[in-house]
Amino acid sequence: ADPSQHLCIGTRSIVARPAHWRGMSGSGIVTVQSALTQLCKQTEGLRSITVTDRDGVVVLRAPETVIDDQNAEQILTTIFSLTTEQTSKIEELGQANFIMTMYDNCICLQANHLPLVIRMMAAKSANAGALIDLLPQVKAVLGPTKEVIRGETDVY
């Protein structure tokens, strides 16, 4: 990403707003956090978007809430990472793009956006196809955040 297009403050990035972000009012500048929150509001049944590093440490969460169980957050990321790692061993399948799991009470969609993992939690009644269709938008919003995290993790 072009550094002149965004300013990073901690784990929050401020980015110029693309024209296709309809329904987002304001001056043309929006934080990654508020953009993800807006996507949650605009997508029926979408409860949250959580972005973690590959170890399950939360980088961003929309809407911004207190994490009740950090251990559960990390377990979900670990399960996703192990599942994608194991399925990638079946060469005929290729690399997994995302994994969607339907639970009794919700839908969980997880996707790699290395070095980040995106998790969308939605109501059981949410449109699964709409969640999948939302992934490219979420990845686009996370561009500057991804580059900051990649820069930090490349140091180690």
Side-chain angles (χ1 to χ4, degrees):
D2 178 358
S4 67
Q5 293 180 350
H6 68 273
L7 167 67
C8 297
I9 305 169
T11 58
R12 294 186 185 189
S13 299
I14 299 175
V15 297
R17 177 177 38 175
H20 67 275
W21 288 4
R22 292 188 195 110
M24 293 186 189
S25 61
S27 65
I29 301 227
V30 65
T31 65
V32 172
Q33 178 73 47
S34 63
L36 293 177
T37 298
Q38 190 65 32
L39 288 173
C40 286
K41 289 177 183 176
Q42 292 175 347
T43 307
E44 189 173 337
L46 181 57
R47 295 178 181 162
S48 68
I49 299 172
T50 304
V51 181
T52 66
D53 68 8
R54 58 185 164 217
D55 297 320
V57 176
V58 174
V59 175
L60 288 167
R61 173 192 294 280
E64 204 167 6
T65 57
V66 175
I67 301 169
D68 293 331
D69 188 352
Q70 179 68 37
N71 193 39
E73 294 280 337
Q74 290 178 323
I75 289 170
L76 280 172
T77 302
T78 300
I79 291 169
F80 170 73
S81 297
L82 289 172
T83 302
T84 56
E85 180 183 321
Q86 292 303 310
T87 59
S88 70
K89 293 178 181 180
I90 305 170
E91 291 181 20
E92 295 83 18
L93 295 177
Q95 189 65 36
N97 296 316
F98 62 85
I99 294 177
M100 180 174 280
T101 311
M102 309 288 210
Y103 294 98
D104 289 340
N105 300 319
C106 65
I107 298 172
C108 177
L109 175 66
Q110 291 180 290
N112 269 325
H113 191 47
L114 298 174
L116 303 173
V117 174
I118 300 165
R119 179 173 44 257
M120 290 189 259
M121 298 298 291
K124 184 179 179 181
S125 61
N127 181 327
L131 298 177
I132 294 167
D133 289 345
L134 193 60
L135 266 176
Q137 283 182 271
V138 173
K139 288 180 178 182
V141 168
L142 290 171
T145 305
K146 175 182 174 177
E147 294 309 314
V148 169
I149 299 297
R150 176 175 280 139
E152 292 296 317
T153 56
D154 284 351
V155 172
Y156 301 103

